[in-house]
Amino acid sequence: MKFFLTGSFIAIIILIVLFSYRQNIFSTTALPYDDEQQGLDDQITIHFSHVVAENTPKGAAAEKFKELVEEKSNGKVVVQIYPNGMLYNDENELDALRENKVQMIAPTISKMTGTLPNWQVLDLPFIIENNEQLKLVLNGQISKSLLQELEGINVKGLTFWNNGFKQIASTSPIIDIEQFKGKRIRMMASDILHEQYKLLDAKPIATSFGVVYSDLQQEVVDAQENTISNIYSKQFHTMENQITLSNHGILAYAVMMNKDFWGSLDADIQKIITDSLAEMQDWQFEQAEEFNKEDLLYLKANSDVQIYELDVETKNEWKEKLQPIYSHYENHINEHYLDDLLDEINNRIE
Ligand code: LMR
């Protein structure tokens, strides 16, 4: 027994010495520094937070941006995406960006209007009426001026992404103008959207995208305006199964970075980022149309969902009721944006 214990003890000591030798524990020389470790030191990480699902125009665009930037930089730049508001939500993502807690976000234009009121021009209803005009405007001069306004709040504006036109989803039909009366309508926080629903005699309720589903479950709202891809990807239609294809407003995203972070990047990295965004721009617009078209087909195939089209006469009634909104905008904000927007649409589209 004594021999057995002594033998085991010696065997354990030999094993420990051998293991330590293999792990270089007794070595006095520094560990070799390989290229991969050096690469990690140089790596730049862009944390990109957004609030929608991955299978949406913005979710897919974020993934495409990641793919292009990582490929063009040979992995030197890594883009970490946080979808579905898992990191920040509508209320705090802009602050998180400005404090460099994340480096990139892409909020809906409406959500910027509290900070930069001129942005409301893109929230005005029935100004942009088709995809061609939408693409022209989001790539045009007004959009560039709006992005430029971000400089004043420590943000670098990069480009606009698209998610098409907003529709009305509700628990009971909203087709005729009178059917808005008294309806509690969830909207994004925006003075113009608030004004819009006041003019329609509805009760506007501004909430964060992340709580829309639970608000519907708890029956604290009756309707909302959103794109088909947002309605379908978040399954809002399971509760708001009456959908009116009104195309009354647009939903677009301002893609932005923390300005100091942007300034800290070498010119070649900045170029990789702007080149990637430029390369994917047409693709992004096509994707937005595609997602909304396909998701509409799914909704049409669902027998629990009713889809309504607005006929010309009814649409004109909506437009007439909303007429005062344009002077409301001009009285409160820099009116030249609206004139420029109309010029941009009318002069360049036959
Ligand atoms: C919403 O709040 O309804 C949208 O802005 C969500 C989004 O980012 O598309």
Side-chain angles (χ1 to χ4, degrees):
M1 183 65 178
K2 194 174 161 196
F3 281 123
F4 174 72
L5 283 177
T6 314
S8 305
F9 181 71
I10 291 169
I12 287 169
I13 295 291
I14 290 171
L15 279 172
I16 290 174
V17 169
L18 279 174
F19 176 77
S20 304
Y21 182 75
R22 275 191 71 94
Q23 296 296 312
N24 246 340
I25 286 173
F26 299 132
S27 168
T28 51
T29 53
L31 284 171
Y33 195 81
D34 65 27
D35 285 350
E36 272 173 46
Q37 282 170 311
Q38 200 158 16
L40 281 178
D41 276 353
D42 289 348
Q43 205 161 61
I44 297 163
T45 305
I46 299 173
H47 298 279
F48 185 168
S49 171
H50 69 80
V51 299
V52 291
E54 282 143 311
N55 57 333
T56 59
K58 181 160 61 179
E63 291 294 339
K64 182 78 171 175
F65 173 75
K66 171 185 169 69
E67 180 192 310
L68 289 177
V69 167
E70 291 184 355
E71 185 188 298
K72 284 180 197 295
S73 69
N74 286 322
K76 184 174 167 134
V77 182
V78 172
V79 182
Q80 296 271 7
I81 303 170
Y82 306 91
N84 289 310
M86 64 196 273
L87 212 51
Y88 294 105
N89 57 34
D90 288 337
E91 271 99 41
N92 54 21
E93 68 174 5
L94 182 60
D95 286 342
L97 180 83
R98 290 166 75 182
E99 290 161 20
N100 204 28
K101 290 179 180 155
V102 287
Q103 289 67 47
M104 204 166 165
I105 60 172
T108 304
I109 41 176
S110 318
K111 294 171 187 170
M112 295 303 298
T113 56
T115 312
L116 300 171
N118 287 333
W119 282 50
Q120 291 179 46
V121 70
L122 295 182
D123 255 354
L124 287 166
F126 295 118
I127 298 263
I128 299 172
E129 302 212 274
N130 57 48
N131 281 311
E132 196 189 354
Q133 292 178 354
L134 181 51
K135 190 167 180 189
L136 175 84
V137 168
L138 293 182
N139 291 312
Q141 199 42 54
I142 311 226
S143 295
K144 286 197 178 66
S145 307
L146 294 177
L147 288 178
Q148 198 61 35
E149 287 191 5
L150 290 167
E151 297 278 325
I153 58 163
N154 199 31
V155 170
K156 168 75 185 167
L158 292 168
T159 192
F160 282 99
W161 286 343
N162 179 26
N163 186 0
F165 289 87
K166 288 180 288 187
Q167 323 297 348
I168 302 287
S170 53
T171 51
S172 62
I174 300 185
I175 306 154
D176 296 328
I177 208 82
E178 297 77 34
Q179 289 171 316
F180 276 104
K181 199 172 171 65
K183 292 265 166 53
R184 297 162 304 169
I185 308 224
R186 181 270 165 177
M187 43 147 226
M188 296 171 272
S190 151
D191 183 45
I192 283 293
L193 297 181
H194 180 91
E195 187 63 19
Q196 174 180 293
Y197 288 109
K198 284 303 228 192
L199 287 169
L200 293 169
D201 300 322
K203 289 188 183 138
I205 302 177
T207 63
S208 188
F209 187 63
V211 301
V212 176
Y213 193 87
S214 57
D215 279 356
L216 282 167
Q217 277 178 320
Q218 288 158 28
E219 300 181 5
V220 293
V221 291
D222 307 305
Q224 70 173 297
E225 52 162 33
N226 225 317
T227 60
I228 290 293
S229 73
N230 277 349
I231 293 167
Y232 181 71
S233 61
K234 288 290 179 190
Q235 301 287 291
F236 295 146
H237 64 280
T238 57
M239 289 166 284
E240 292 172 325
N241 63 349
Q242 308 291 307
I243 298 177
T244 301
L245 301 178
S246 53
N247 290 316
H248 63 279
I250 63 159
L251 199 149
Y253 303 115
V255 183
M256 51 180 85
M257 260 190 195
N258 176 282
K259 195 170 143 196
D260 296 335
F261 173 77
W262 172 258
S264 74
L265 299 173
D266 290 345
D268 60 329
I269 301 290
Q270 290 184 346
K271 186 166 173 342
I272 285 174
I273 290 169
T274 48
D275 284 355
S276 300
L277 290 169
E279 186 178 321
M280 62 184 279
Q281 192 72 348
D282 285 347
W283 173 91
Q284 200 283 317
F285 277 69
E286 281 157 24
Q287 283 287 303
E289 276 186 51
E290 210 46 45
F291 267 111
N292 282 302
K293 208 156 71 187
E294 274 197 13
D295 292 349
L296 182 58
L297 290 180
Y298 288 124
L299 292 178
K300 280 184 169 164
N302 183 333
S303 55
D304 292 334
V305 178
Q306 295 297 313
I307 309 273
Y308 308 100
E309 307 259 355
L310 283 185
D311 60 33
V312 179
E313 200 184 324
T314 314
K315 197 170 210 166
N316 284 339
E317 280 167 18
W318 286 40
K319 287 183 180 175
E320 205 173 308
K321 188 94 171 153
L322 289 171
Q323 258 324 300
I325 206 165
Y326 306 107
S327 45
H328 174 89
Y329 174 81
E330 288 183 324
N331 291 338
H332 288 80
I333 333 279
N334 190 341
E335 79 274 14
H336 80 83
Y337 272 127
L338 178 53
D339 293 339
D340 292 351
L341 180 62
L342 294 170
D343 281 352
E344 198 160 76
I345 292 169
N346 297 328
N347 296 342
R348 289 174 53 199
I349 301 264
E350 306 52 284

